[in-house]
Amino acid sequence: MKTKLKQLGLIFCIFLIIIAQTGCKNDSSKELKEVNKEIVALDTMCSIKVFTEDEDEGKKIVDAAIDKLQELDEEFSKTNKKSEVYKLNHAGGKRIEVSDKFAKVIKKSIELSKATGGRFDVTVGALTSLWDFTSGKNKVPSKAEIDKAKSTVGYKNIELKQNTCRLLNKDTQIDLGGIAKGYIGDAIKEYLQSKGIKNAIINLGGDVLTMGKKSSGEPYKVGIKKPFKGKQEISGYTEVQEGTVVTSGVYERSFKSKGKLYHHIINPFTGMPAETDLDFVTVKSAKGSAMVADALATSLIILGEKATHDKGSEIIKKSDSVDYGFLTYTKAGKYKQTDGFGYKNSEN
């Protein structure tokens, strides 16, 4: 347990954070009380913070939101034998009944796979199990093992018909790790809205969703941390009022073997950690979903800096009907952003 918590702490320290966010007011200018709760879930540290007049009611809402987060985490886990992911992966190619939420995630996964040219693909399960960045074993698979697992990858192996799903290749394995966190963030935000919460911050590791605004009327500042650096080293920030900011980085889960860094972002076409000149990509949207932003961030890292800035906007248009901006950071220490992203260096 201590080892796992230590690993989670290392994972958590590289994600997005909210800079100095306290003191919200509602439309009637009443000071709102802050209710915050943190929990280890989704292989990272997660927090849900709401601002409300009724502190007791706020605690009940946050507790229920945390319960929902944990439930969804279990539902989308590929190792939980009761999850639909596990059942589909072990159905031997047979069709199974699936829930509305599972069908929704799979349908969007297929759409995003097409939009990204297969760079995002939830059928990488055999590869992610082979590389296994969560156990701490830090073993580089053999070429034969990689080739065998790679042969099972391909989103076209998923056949979804209403609320039934099957894998056309019985050896194909689904892994929703690249999109489930975003779906869960969107679901938690919808839940808070349904309970009348207007001001909140949801932080699921690299996925930040914000609601409302600060008491001053200013937007939230979402800090972007320096790759591979200490917990408090922030390179800069972007401002967002109501929206989503998602970061995916090659330093989130990684290990070194014989002097070479191996990270968890797997290129579905090679079966290897993506050979990229990018350390991270941050995707931001005022109206878009964290689920879409998750897939986009992963895909853009695989593309690399030049192709991302050449083709990123085109991929985004294929992925959703609303705008997303992005910020890239190269291994050479170069930042580049799309118009309107609004990245500001902390030193400026």
Side-chain angles (χ1 to χ4, degrees), residues 197-252:
I197 297 295
K198 296 182 179 180
N199 300 281
I201 301 165
I202 303 161
N203 190 344
L204 309 182
D207 293 30
V208 172
L209 299 88
T210 60
M211 298 166 57
K213 56 188 176 183
K214 295 164 67 174
S215 57
S216 62
E218 297 175 348
Y220 301 103
K221 288 183 179 180
V222 180
I224 299 171
K225 297 177 181 179
K226 292 182 180 179
F228 302 105
K229 298 295 182 180
K231 184 175 181 180
Q232 301 303 322
E233 291 194 56
I234 299 171
S235 65
Y237 63 91
T238 185
E239 295 181 331
V240 58
Q241 185 161 305
E242 184 90 17
T244 300
V245 183
V246 171
T247 287
S248 183
V250 301
Y251 47 87
E252 292 172 13

Side-chain angles (χ1 to χ4, degrees), residues 260-306:
K260 181 177 175 61
L261 180 73
Y262 295 91
H263 59 81
H264 79 294
I265 299 177
I266 303 298
N267 185 330
F269 302 114
T270 66
M272 296 286 293
E275 292 285 346
T276 177
D277 58 352
L278 293 174
D279 270 346
F280 73 75
V281 173
T282 299
V283 176
K284 172 184 172 184
S285 180
K287 297 181 179 179
S289 80
M291 179 166 61
V292 172
D294 257 351
L296 288 173
T298 298
S299 303
L300 297 182
I301 279 188
I302 293 173
L303 269 176
E305 186 203 32
K306 186 179 186 305

Side-chain angles (χ1 to χ4, degrees), residues 309 313 324-326 336-342:
H309 288 280
S313 296
Y324 293 79
F326 53 85
K336 190 173 182 180
Q337 61 186 316
T338 55
D339 292 340
F341 183 90

Side-chain angles (χ1 to χ4, degrees), residues 96-143:
I96 69 166
E97 295 282 340
V98 296
S99 65
D100 289 342
K101 69 182 73 170
F102 187 82
K104 178 181 178 179
V105 173
I106 292 296
K107 181 181 178 182
K108 193 62 183 179
S109 295
I110 294 171
E111 292 173 0
L112 290 167
S113 294
K114 292 178 180 177
T116 62
R119 293 176 185 87
F120 168 80
D121 195 323
V122 295
T123 63
V124 294
L127 283 168
T128 56
S129 294
L130 184 63
W131 280 95
D132 189 14
F133 284 91
T134 58
S135 69
K137 293 179 180 178
N138 298 349
K139 178 186 175 184
V140 179
S142 68
K143 184 179 183 303

